[in-house]
Amino acid sequence: MKDNIIKDKSIEFAIRIVNLYKYLLERSEFVLSKQVLRSGTSIGANISEAVRAESDKDFIHKLSISRKECSETLYWIELLHRSEYITAVQYESIKNDCEELLKILTAIILSSKKRRKLKHLIRRDSKICKM
């Protein structure tokens, strides 16, 4: 089975988020920690669903949800930093990982949309040639 870099990176990121959640609980933070846990682990869950997508359209949709969850996670991480629950070093480290996922997801979505459009054009042209 070939490597799935985005899936592997999302699992590693989810583990970081779980560890951040535990750290925040130790600091008696119970609200923001749940938010970042939900959005941060949802990224990989939706990527896993995309791997088993029923169609190209479904694949793009699942990855688009992952991208939205990634953006939401960036928001919660920034809020945790600005409210001084995490240090600047912690913030930069986890933010960089999240932004990397966001860039990869965006690239996959864009290339998948191009591929889908190309398939549509090829099908359309083959129907025209048969006429």
Side-chain angles (χ1 to χ4, degrees), residues 116-130:
R116 186 170 182 256
K117 186 174 183 177
L118 184 61
K119 281 182 182 178
H120 174 73
L121 290 173
I122 291 169
R123 273 189 243 128
R124 187 192 73 192
D125 288 349
S126 69
K127 287 179 183 177
I128 292 171
C129 290
K130 289 180 182 178

PDB file of all heavy atoms in Angstrom, residues 116-130:
ATOM      1  N   ARG A 116     -10.892  16.543 -12.159  1.00  0.00           N
ATOM      2  CA  ARG A 116     -12.317  16.280 -12.356  1.00  0.00           C
ATOM      3  C   ARG A 116     -12.843  17.032 -13.576  1.00  0.00           C
ATOM      4  O   ARG A 116     -13.593  16.479 -14.385  1.00  0.00           O
ATOM      5  CB  ARG A 116     -13.084  16.684 -11.096  1.00  0.00           C
ATOM      6  CG  ARG A 116     -14.537  16.325 -11.115  1.00  0.00           C
ATOM      7  CD  ARG A 116     -15.159  16.541  -9.739  1.00  0.00           C
ATOM      8  NE  ARG A 116     -16.534  16.148  -9.765  1.00  0.00           N
ATOM      9  CZ  ARG A 116     -17.560  16.992  -9.802  1.00  0.00           C
ATOM     10  NH1 ARG A 116     -17.344  18.279  -9.781  1.00  0.00           N
ATOM     11  NH2 ARG A 116     -18.792  16.547  -9.841  1.00  0.00           N
ATOM     12  N   LYS A 117     -12.419  18.275 -13.731  1.00  0.00           N
ATOM     13  CA  LYS A 117     -12.851  19.080 -14.873  1.00  0.00           C
ATOM     14  C   LYS A 117     -12.311  18.481 -16.167  1.00  0.00           C
ATOM     15  O   LYS A 117     -13.021  18.403 -17.171  1.00  0.00           O
ATOM     16  CB  LYS A 117     -12.371  20.519 -14.705  1.00  0.00           C
ATOM     17  CG  LYS A 117     -12.884  21.463 -15.748  1.00  0.00           C
ATOM     18  CD  LYS A 117     -12.486  22.892 -15.444  1.00  0.00           C
ATOM     19  CE  LYS A 117     -13.075  23.845 -16.464  1.00  0.00           C
ATOM     20  NZ  LYS A 117     -12.754  25.238 -16.151  1.00  0.00           N
ATOM     21  N   LEU A 118     -11.048  18.035 -16.142  1.00  0.00           N
ATOM     22  CA  LEU A 118     -10.436  17.423 -17.314  1.00  0.00           C
ATOM     23  C   LEU A 118     -11.175  16.147 -17.710  1.00  0.00           C
ATOM     24  O   LEU A 118     -11.457  15.917 -18.890  1.00  0.00           O
ATOM     25  CB  LEU A 118      -8.965  17.126 -17.049  1.00  0.00           C
ATOM     26  CG  LEU A 118      -8.152  16.572 -18.205  1.00  0.00           C
ATOM     27  CD1 LEU A 118      -8.119  17.563 -19.359  1.00  0.00           C
ATOM     28  CD2 LEU A 118      -6.737  16.258 -17.748  1.00  0.00           C
ATOM     29  N   LYS A 119     -11.530  15.319 -16.732  1.00  0.00           N
ATOM     30  CA  LYS A 119     -12.297  14.095 -17.008  1.00  0.00           C
ATOM     31  C   LYS A 119     -13.625  14.438 -17.676  1.00  0.00           C
ATOM     32  O   LYS A 119     -14.051  13.783 -18.627  1.00  0.00           O
ATOM     33  CB  LYS A 119     -12.583  13.324 -15.713  1.00  0.00           C
ATOM     34  CG  LYS A 119     -11.449  12.521 -15.186  1.00  0.00           C
ATOM     35  CD  LYS A 119     -11.920  11.784 -13.930  1.00  0.00           C
ATOM     36  CE  LYS A 119     -10.874  10.986 -13.263  1.00  0.00           C
ATOM     37  NZ  LYS A 119     -11.377  10.338 -12.039  1.00  0.00           N
ATOM     38  N   HIS A 120     -14.270  15.488 -17.174  1.00  0.00           N
ATOM     39  CA  HIS A 120     -15.552  15.916 -17.734  1.00  0.00           C
ATOM     40  C   HIS A 120     -15.382  16.355 -19.193  1.00  0.00           C
ATOM     41  O   HIS A 120     -16.186  15.995 -20.050  1.00  0.00           O
ATOM     42  CB  HIS A 120     -16.148  17.054 -16.892  1.00  0.00           C
ATOM     43  CG  HIS A 120     -17.381  17.639 -17.462  1.00  0.00           C
ATOM     44  ND1 HIS A 120     -18.592  16.976 -17.436  1.00  0.00           N
ATOM     45  CD2 HIS A 120     -17.604  18.817 -18.095  1.00  0.00           C
ATOM     46  CE1 HIS A 120     -19.505  17.727 -18.036  1.00  0.00           C
ATOM     47  NE2 HIS A 120     -18.932  18.844 -18.435  1.00  0.00           N
ATOM     48  N   LEU A 121     -14.325  17.117 -19.472  1.00  0.00           N
ATOM     49  CA  LEU A 121     -14.075  17.578 -20.837  1.00  0.00           C
ATOM     50  C   LEU A 121     -13.767  16.411 -21.773  1.00  0.00           C
ATOM     51  O   LEU A 121     -14.240  16.389 -22.916  1.00  0.00           O
ATOM     52  CB  LEU A 121     -12.916  18.582 -20.850  1.00  0.00           C
ATOM     53  CG  LEU A 121     -13.195  19.934 -20.212  1.00  0.00           C
ATOM     54  CD1 LEU A 121     -11.923  20.764 -20.131  1.00  0.00           C
ATOM     55  CD2 LEU A 121     -14.285  20.681 -20.961  1.00  0.00           C
ATOM     56  N   ILE A 122     -13.004  15.447 -21.289  1.00  0.00           N
ATOM     57  CA  ILE A 122     -12.670  14.274 -22.103  1.00  0.00           C
ATOM     58  C   ILE A 122     -13.939  13.484 -22.434  1.00  0.00           C
ATOM     59  O   ILE A 122     -14.146  13.078 -23.579  1.00  0.00           O
ATOM     60  CB  ILE A 122     -11.620  13.386 -21.396  1.00  0.00           C
ATOM     61  CG1 ILE A 122     -10.274  14.114 -21.363  1.00  0.00           C
ATOM     62  CG2 ILE A 122     -11.503  12.016 -22.068  1.00  0.00           C
ATOM     63  CD1 ILE A 122      -9.229  13.464 -20.471  1.00  0.00           C
ATOM     64  N   ARG A 123     -14.793  13.284 -21.422  1.00  0.00           N
ATOM     65  CA  ARG A 123     -16.057  12.574 -21.665  1.00  0.00           C
ATOM     66  C   ARG A 123     -16.922  13.322 -22.672  1.00  0.00           C
ATOM     67  O   ARG A 123     -17.503  12.728 -23.558  1.00  0.00           O
ATOM     68  CB  ARG A 123     -16.824  12.376 -20.363  1.00  0.00           C
ATOM     69  CG  ARG A 123     -16.424  11.124 -19.634  1.00  0.00           C
ATOM     70  CD  ARG A 123     -17.342  10.837 -18.459  1.00  0.00           C
ATOM     71  NE  ARG A 123     -16.496  10.914 -17.274  1.00  0.00           N
ATOM     72  CZ  ARG A 123     -16.729  11.631 -16.189  1.00  0.00           C
ATOM     73  NH1 ARG A 123     -17.826  12.319 -16.069  1.00  0.00           N
ATOM     74  NH2 ARG A 123     -15.887  11.653 -15.202  1.00  0.00           N
ATOM     75  N   ARG A 124     -16.997  14.631 -22.508  1.00  0.00           N
ATOM     76  CA  ARG A 124     -17.814  15.448 -23.402  1.00  0.00           C
ATOM     77  C   ARG A 124     -17.281  15.376 -24.830  1.00  0.00           C
ATOM     78  O   ARG A 124     -18.027  15.181 -25.777  1.00  0.00           O
ATOM     79  CB  ARG A 124     -17.830  16.898 -22.932  1.00  0.00           C
ATOM     80  CG  ARG A 124     -18.810  17.758 -23.723  1.00  0.00           C
ATOM     81  CD  ARG A 124     -18.621  19.208 -23.468  1.00  0.00           C
ATOM     82  NE  ARG A 124     -17.372  19.580 -24.167  1.00  0.00           N
ATOM     83  CZ  ARG A 124     -16.742  20.707 -24.002  1.00  0.00           C
ATOM     84  NH1 ARG A 124     -17.179  21.588 -23.137  1.00  0.00           N
ATOM     85  NH2 ARG A 124     -15.641  20.980 -24.660  1.00  0.00           N
ATOM     86  N   ASP A 125     -15.953  15.481 -24.986  1.00  0.00           N
ATOM     87  CA  ASP A 125     -15.353  15.433 -26.315  1.00  0.00           C
ATOM     88  C   ASP A 125     -15.523  14.063 -26.954  1.00  0.00           C
ATOM     89  O   ASP A 125     -15.734  13.960 -28.163  1.00  0.00           O
ATOM     90  CB  ASP A 125     -13.866  15.798 -26.254  1.00  0.00           C
ATOM     91  CG  ASP A 125     -13.638  17.278 -25.989  1.00  0.00           C
ATOM     92  OD1 ASP A 125     -14.617  18.059 -26.065  1.00  0.00           O
ATOM     93  OD2 ASP A 125     -12.492  17.657 -25.679  1.00  0.00           O
ATOM     94  N   SER A 126     -15.450  13.004 -26.160  1.00  0.00           N
ATOM     95  CA  SER A 126     -15.610  11.658 -26.731  1.00  0.00           C
ATOM     96  C   SER A 126     -17.062  11.459 -27.202  1.00  0.00           C
ATOM     97  O   SER A 126     -17.290  10.786 -28.193  1.00  0.00           O
ATOM     98  CB  SER A 126     -15.201  10.582 -25.746  1.00  0.00           C
ATOM     99  OG  SER A 126     -16.100  10.508 -24.668  1.00  0.00           O
ATOM    100  N   LYS A 127     -18.019  12.059 -26.535  1.00  0.00           N
ATOM    101  CA  LYS A 127     -19.413  11.972 -26.981  1.00  0.00           C
ATOM    102  C   LYS A 127     -19.608  12.741 -28.278  1.00  0.00           C
ATOM    103  O   LYS A 127     -20.336  12.290 -29.167  1.00  0.00           O
ATOM    104  CB  LYS A 127     -20.353  12.522 -25.900  1.00  0.00           C
ATOM    105  CG  LYS A 127     -20.504  11.628 -24.701  1.00  0.00           C
ATOM    106  CD  LYS A 127     -21.424  12.240 -23.677  1.00  0.00           C
ATOM    107  CE  LYS A 127     -21.510  11.354 -22.428  1.00  0.00           C
ATOM    108  NZ  LYS A 127     -22.348  11.961 -21.394  1.00  0.00           N
ATOM    109  N   ILE A 128     -18.954  13.875 -28.408  1.00  0.00           N
ATOM    110  CA  ILE A 128     -19.062  14.681 -29.630  1.00  0.00           C
ATOM    111  C   ILE A 128     -18.456  13.936 -30.801  1.00  0.00           C
ATOM    112  O   ILE A 128     -19.019  13.919 -31.899  1.00  0.00           O
ATOM    113  CB  ILE A 128     -18.383  16.055 -29.449  1.00  0.00           C
ATOM    114  CG1 ILE A 128     -19.194  16.898 -28.438  1.00  0.00           C
ATOM    115  CG2 ILE A 128     -18.250  16.797 -30.771  1.00  0.00           C
ATOM    116  CD1 ILE A 128     -18.511  18.187 -28.027  1.00  0.00           C
ATOM    117  N   CYS A 129     -17.316  13.257 -30.600  1.00  0.00           N
ATOM    118  CA  CYS A 129     -16.655  12.514 -31.658  1.00  0.00           C
ATOM    119  C   CYS A 129     -17.486  11.331 -32.141  1.00  0.00           C
ATOM    120  O   CYS A 129     -17.384  10.928 -33.287  1.00  0.00           O
ATOM    121  CB  CYS A 129     -15.289  12.016 -31.179  1.00  0.00           C
ATOM    122  SG  CYS A 129     -14.092  13.339 -30.978  1.00  0.00           S
ATOM    123  N   LYS A 130     -18.314  10.770 -31.274  1.00  0.00           N
ATOM    124  CA  LYS A 130     -19.139   9.612 -31.643  1.00  0.00           C
ATOM    125  C   LYS A 130     -20.334  10.004 -32.501  1.00  0.00           C
ATOM    126  O   LYS A 130     -20.942   9.164 -33.121  1.00  0.00           O
ATOM    127  CB  LYS A 130     -19.618   8.883 -30.385  1.00  0.00           C
ATOM    128  CG  LYS A 130     -18.521   8.152 -29.658  1.00  0.00           C
ATOM    129  CD  LYS A 130     -19.052   7.455 -28.434  1.00  0.00           C
ATOM    130  CE  LYS A 130     -17.924   6.769 -27.697  1.00  0.00           C
ATOM    131  NZ  LYS A 130     -18.405   6.120 -26.469  1.00  0.00           N
TER     132      LYS A 130
END
